[in-house]
Amino acid sequence: MLYTKQNAIRRGMRLTLESFKRLKALDLLLFFIGMMAKVYLFDAIIAVPNMAMNGFDTVVAIGTLALACFWTVWLPTRGRIIALIAISMLLSFIMYADIIYYRYFQDLISVPVLMQASQVDSLGESIWTLLEARDFWLLADWLLLIPFAWYTLRHGRADLQDRFGDSYEKDTRRRRWPFAAMQIVLGLAIFFLGASMSIGNINIAKKTWAQGLFVNNWWSLSLYNVTGVVGFHGYDVYRYAKERLNSEQVSAEAAAGIQQWASDRGNSRKLLEADPAFGAYKGSNVLLVQVEALQNFMIGKSIGGEEITPNLNKLMKESAYFSQFYHQTSQGRTSDADFLANCSLQPLVSGSVFIQYAGHTFNCMPQTLSDNGYSAAVFHAYDGGFWNRNTMYPRMGYDTFYSKKHFTLNEPIGWSLGDASFFSQSVDVITEQKLPFYSFLITLSSHHPFTMPQEHQVLKLGELEGTIMGDYLQSVHYVDAALGELVEKLKAEGLWKNTIFALYGDHDNSIKDWELFETFLGKPLNDLERQMILKQVPFLVHLPDGAYAGTHTNVGGQLDVTPTLLHLLGISTANDTLLGTPLLTEQALSGKGGKLVVQRNGAFTDGTVYYMPSSDGIEANGKCWNIADNKLGAIAPCLAHTEEAASELTMSDQIITHDLIPVFKEAVEAKVASAAEGN
């Protein structure tokens, strides 16, 4: 009996040790080695300035990987191997997608962006031009992982039976509790160690050099600089879930404070209604054109002895042209520009308002004009579902959305219909609209990667021949010719003389090779000049009588488009929740309005200084450029505006995400009703 008990103890110890050995298999170690190699490769590929991985980042990366896989030790050997392979492939794919997204948007993919995943197929050729051979190293191990996973699933149980024989099931029951205890302890140990290495170090950073980063409206790359790529996506999922699952509405007190802030903006616009331009063009038609990727840096320039934008150059002399006008888009790009210009609210830090909040209420220009007797139509020769336009445009107040299905595709260029035919067919519809009309035209021909038919490649590009910059200039030259034809057709149809014609660029051209810009401009570029190129887009307003023609240097942004046009029409925006201000007023043109143009990443300018936030999120570590001197200056002039800039972003976010405009309206109506009862 004693011998039997001792033998059983020895047998149990052997099985426990065998189980422990299996727990210490190489699969976990190989997972960490492989994933850390990919994390370093990812960091090297995106190569964000001043964000190269250091010791802190390595510790955090190991910790986040531990949090991603700690639970796998609670699985049997075969289950753990399959789980680790699945985690590895998922994280590899996410990093691969991040790289492609970063090259186009200079940002990382977030959960809201994934809601736009259906658009990826529509990007077509643009996606392929963003791929590089070295990217595939992130997925190279799939050639081994997929067959090994299949083998493990198919043969894993048989291998275990061969290894342990008939006693396997009996021995498993005997070792269940000690083995389970070790699994629990080891899993918890990996979890707490990972949490300490990642969350613990991140919390230390949040209290020191990254203070305020997680509560302010910074771009995703600033978060990546603290959390690493795996940690960023983990935090992004947490943040998104918290926002969506948090059922608490903004408090009445907080809503009142936001309403007062928005009301102050409205009161500022109300004071400008004494300006001579207010209502000077009452009843005029409005035709607004959003031009794809049109930027300021090539306006007025020539190449190979030929003007790149001859028609725009001519139109600028006859219109009010704003030389310090900035796009303010974020991840929503074209949809952000549309939202900014027509609804005068900041875009989201992540994703697109068109996708995430199409059901919310906004004070958009088409609805305002419709309420004032205008017919309102939007024209875009692309799929109506792209950027959720089919849903968003009726909410914005358009009577009709003319999408790709409404056009005859008789001039295929790039993504869809060439702009020349697009303009011509659109004007044919506009001439039949009820007067006065508001028509919003969104172009497409100059979209990345700027592939133009040979017959439209007419510029002599010299050194830029065969480069993406050369292709971009060719596409802009074509769009300029199409714009010239548009103006002539409006004149021929008798619309030009009673129409306010406005035009702006939606965002930058996504070309990141600065040597190409320097070759075109013939000079090296400092950081400020690069920001000016990236952020400045044309904005011009042609008035029926040609008033205000010439170049104006007062600063402005896409938020100001709607207030500017409604001001000219004499439609008050004092009670509307808009962030912008009219640019064609005596005060604005004098440059004394104290105007601040705020970018979604926290950058801003008042026309004299340009503030670039630091990647670490610390305001004092940002750069304050003196625009006139084209050099870095003291940080103090910029720090005086950081609170105002942050407030604009925060207030706009609150208005959008909590759908506060109906709340504001109810509060005003209740106040009016109460006052009436008191009388």
Side-chain angles (χ1 to χ4, degrees):
M1 177 69 81
L2 180 61
Y3 174 81
T4 302
K5 289 183 178 179
Q6 290 175 341
N7 187 54
I9 292 172
R10 285 196 295 268
R11 188 180 183 86
M13 291 177 63
R14 179 177 64 80
L15 289 171
T16 301
L17 290 172
E18 187 66 44
S19 301
F20 186 67
K21 289 178 182 178
R22 296 216 327 277
L23 271 177
K24 296 183 65 177
L26 288 176
D27 49 12
L28 270 174
L29 180 61
L30 290 175
F31 170 80
F32 275 94
I33 292 174
M35 289 309 305
M36 283 303 299
K38 292 184 179 185
V39 167
Y40 271 99
L41 176 61
F42 174 85
D43 189 73
I45 290 176
I46 64 171
V48 183
N50 305 315
M51 289 190 190
M53 285 190 67
N54 54 28
F56 170 88
D57 300 318
T58 299
V59 172
V60 170
I62 294 173
T64 55
L65 290 174
L67 292 179
C69 75
F70 75 92
W71 55 274
T72 63
V73 302
W74 296 337
L75 302 174
T77 302
R78 183 172 63 158
R80 183 174 70 248
I81 292 173
I82 296 300
L84 290 174
I85 290 174
I87 295 171
S88 175
M89 293 179 66
L90 175 62
L91 294 179
S92 299
F93 179 78
I94 290 173
M95 284 189 275
Y96 181 80
D98 272 336
I99 288 171
I100 306 304
Y101 192 80
Y102 175 78
R103 289 200 180 113
Y104 195 83
F105 293 106
Q106 293 293 283
D107 213 340
L108 302 181
I109 294 175
S110 61
V111 174
V113 170
L114 293 178
M115 296 175 64
Q116 305 158 12
S118 61
Q119 301 178 45
V120 173
D121 289 340
S122 300
L123 289 176
E125 189 178 351
S126 289
I127 290 290
W128 293 107
T129 61
L130 299 172
L131 301 179
E132 294 182 8
R134 61 175 177 166
D135 303 341
F136 291 97
W137 283 108
L138 287 168
L139 310 178
D141 59 349
W142 287 23
L143 298 175
L144 295 175
L145 292 178
I146 294 175
F148 186 65
W150 179 85
Y151 175 84
T152 302
L153 284 171
R154 186 69 179 268
H155 302 289
R157 183 174 296 276
D159 289 347
L160 288 173
Q161 292 289 351
D162 291 342
R163 181 175 181 182
F164 292 102
D166 295 337
S167 64
Y168 176 72
E169 292 298 332
K170 295 179 181 179
D171 291 341
T172 298
R173 288 195 296 270
R174 291 178 181 178
R175 66 187 175 87
R176 180 176 298 162
W177 291 111
F179 181 56
M182 283 191 299
Q183 282 182 307
I184 294 172
V185 170
L186 184 58
L188 291 176
I190 294 174
F191 172 80
F192 285 114
L193 182 61
S196 176
M197 296 174 71
S198 57
I199 300 174
N201 279 310
I202 291 171
N203 282 334
I204 293 174
K206 286 168 63 176
K207 297 175 182 178
T208 53
W209 58 273
Q211 189 173 9
L213 180 62
F214 287 79
V215 295
N216 289 327
N217 293 286
W218 301 106
W219 56 336
S220 297
L221 288 175
S222 294
L223 295 176
Y224 163 74
N225 191 35
V226 181
T227 64
V229 61
V230 178
F232 165 76
H233 287 291
Y235 173 75
D236 181 57
V237 170
Y238 161 77
R239 177 176 58 182
Y240 183 80
K242 182 180 178 182
E243 291 173 354
R244 289 291 173 174
L245 297 177
N246 185 2
S247 59
E248 292 184 10
Q249 297 295 318
V250 63
S251 68
E253 182 180 359
I258 298 169
Q259 183 174 14
Q260 184 58 55
W261 180 89
S263 180
D264 290 342
R265 291 277 177 121
N267 291 335
S268 296
R269 294 191 298 272
K270 179 68 176 178
L271 293 175
L272 294 174
E273 292 177 6
D275 182 81
F278 182 76
Y281 302 91
K282 185 178 180 63
S284 295
N285 304 312
V286 178
L287 196 154
L288 178 64
V289 183
Q290 176 175 295
V291 183
E292 175 66 37
L294 183 64
Q295 296 182 250
N296 259 357
F297 75 92
M298 95 293 292
I299 301 297
K301 299 288 195 307
S302 298
I303 192 167
E306 187 170 356
E307 287 182 291
I308 298 170
T309 56
N311 292 290
L312 276 175
N313 297 343
K314 177 183 177 182
L315 189 58
M316 283 165 52
K317 297 175 182 178
E318 304 168 354
S319 310
Y321 168 67
F322 296 88
S323 60
Q324 282 205 79
F325 186 84
Y326 295 80
H327 81 80
Q328 296 169 282
T329 66
S330 185
Q331 291 183 347
R333 301 290 275 180
T334 296
S335 71
D336 281 353
D338 189 337
F339 182 69
L340 279 153
N342 281 284
C343 304
S344 195
L345 288 172
Q346 284 280 356
L348 300 173
V349 68
S350 179
S352 167
V353 175
F354 274 37
I355 300 291
Q356 295 174 249
Y357 298 103
H360 287 191
T361 300
F362 308 102
N363 293 142
C364 300
M365 179 160 56
Q367 185 63 62
T368 301
L369 289 175
S370 180
D371 292 342
N372 283 269
Y374 280 71
S375 61
V378 54
F379 301 77
H380 184 49
Y382 202 61
D383 296 332
F386 198 66
W387 287 122
N388 201 31
R389 288 186 172 101
N390 281 332
T391 301
M392 186 65 178
Y393 282 155
R395 296 288 300 179
M396 292 172 67
Y398 289 106
D399 301 317
T400 312
F401 170 28
Y402 295 92
S403 63
K404 184 178 181 178
K405 65 182 181 181
H406 295 94
F407 291 86
T408 301
L409 302 182
N410 55 6
E411 187 192 18
I413 292 179
W415 280 34
S416 182
L417 179 66
D419 286 350
S421 179
F422 167 67
F423 287 144
S424 178
Q425 293 184 55
S426 296
V427 173
D428 288 341
V429 175
I430 291 171
T431 57
E432 302 298 323
Q433 286 186 293
K434 178 178 72 72
L435 300 178
F437 64 76
Y438 170 55
S439 293
F440 180 45
L441 280 62
I442 306 169
T443 76
L444 198 55
S445 295
S446 49
H447 196 289
H448 188 278
F450 320 116
T451 303
M452 298 295 297
Q454 189 63 42
E455 63 268 24
H456 294 302
Q457 299 180 30
V458 298
L459 293 175
K460 297 176 181 178
L461 300 171
E463 294 180 72
L464 295 176
E465 189 70 48
T467 67
I468 193 169
M469 177 64 78
D471 293 342
Y472 172 67
L473 296 178
Q474 296 281 22
S475 69
V476 169
H477 186 67
Y478 162 80
V479 174
D480 177 82
L483 285 167
E485 294 175 9
L486 169 62
V487 171
E488 291 306 313
K489 185 160 186 173
L490 290 172
K491 291 178 178 178
E493 296 289 346
L495 296 174
W496 189 252
K497 61 184 179 181
N498 57 3
T499 297
I500 297 175
F501 178 87
L503 174 151
Y504 66 91
D506 63 353
H507 52 69
D508 64 86
N509 59 20
S510 300
I511 298 176
K512 306 306 178 186
D513 186 347
W514 287 109
E515 290 185 5
L516 294 175
F517 289 94
E518 292 175 343
T519 297
F520 172 69
L521 296 172
K523 65 175 184 177
L525 301 168
N526 61 32
D527 285 346
L528 175 63
E529 291 168 327
R530 292 183 178 188
Q531 285 298 305
M532 298 295 101
I533 288 174
L534 280 175
K535 299 299 184 181
Q536 286 188 351
V537 295
F539 178 51
L540 60 85
V541 181
H542 181 273
L543 298 171
D545 59 358
Y548 299 100
T551 299
H552 303 288
T553 59
N554 53 305
V555 69
Q558 289 168 330
L559 284 170
D560 304 314
V561 173
T562 283
T564 296
L565 296 177
L566 294 182
H567 182 87
L568 295 169
L569 296 173
I571 298 174
S572 177
T573 60
N575 296 322
D576 291 340
T577 303
L578 308 174
L579 302 191
T581 54
L583 300 179
L584 275 174
T585 67
E586 290 183 351
Q587 178 177 302
L589 295 177
S590 69
K592 298 177 181 179
K595 176 72 178 175
L596 195 69
V597 178
V598 183
Q599 300 289 339
R600 182 66 258 191
N601 68 348
F604 59 80
T605 180
D606 65 354
T608 60
V609 295
Y610 191 96
Y611 176 74
M612 300 180 198
S614 171
S615 60
D616 60 17
I618 299 175
E619 294 176 351
N621 289 347
K623 296 180 179 179
C624 190
W625 285 83
N626 184 298
I627 294 177
D629 295 338
N630 191 28
K631 65 180 182 181
L632 280 172
I635 192 66
C638 288
L639 291 182
H641 297 294
T642 54
E643 184 177 351
E644 178 184 350
S647 179
E648 178 174 307
L649 296 173
T650 300
M651 294 298 185
S652 182
D653 286 347
Q654 294 288 322
I655 292 167
I656 294 170
T657 59
H658 292 289
D659 199 15
L660 291 182
I661 291 178
V663 177
F664 296 165
K665 184 178 180 180
E666 290 177 5
V668 171
E669 291 175 349
K671 187 176 181 179
V672 171
S674 177
E677 290 177 2
N679 292 333

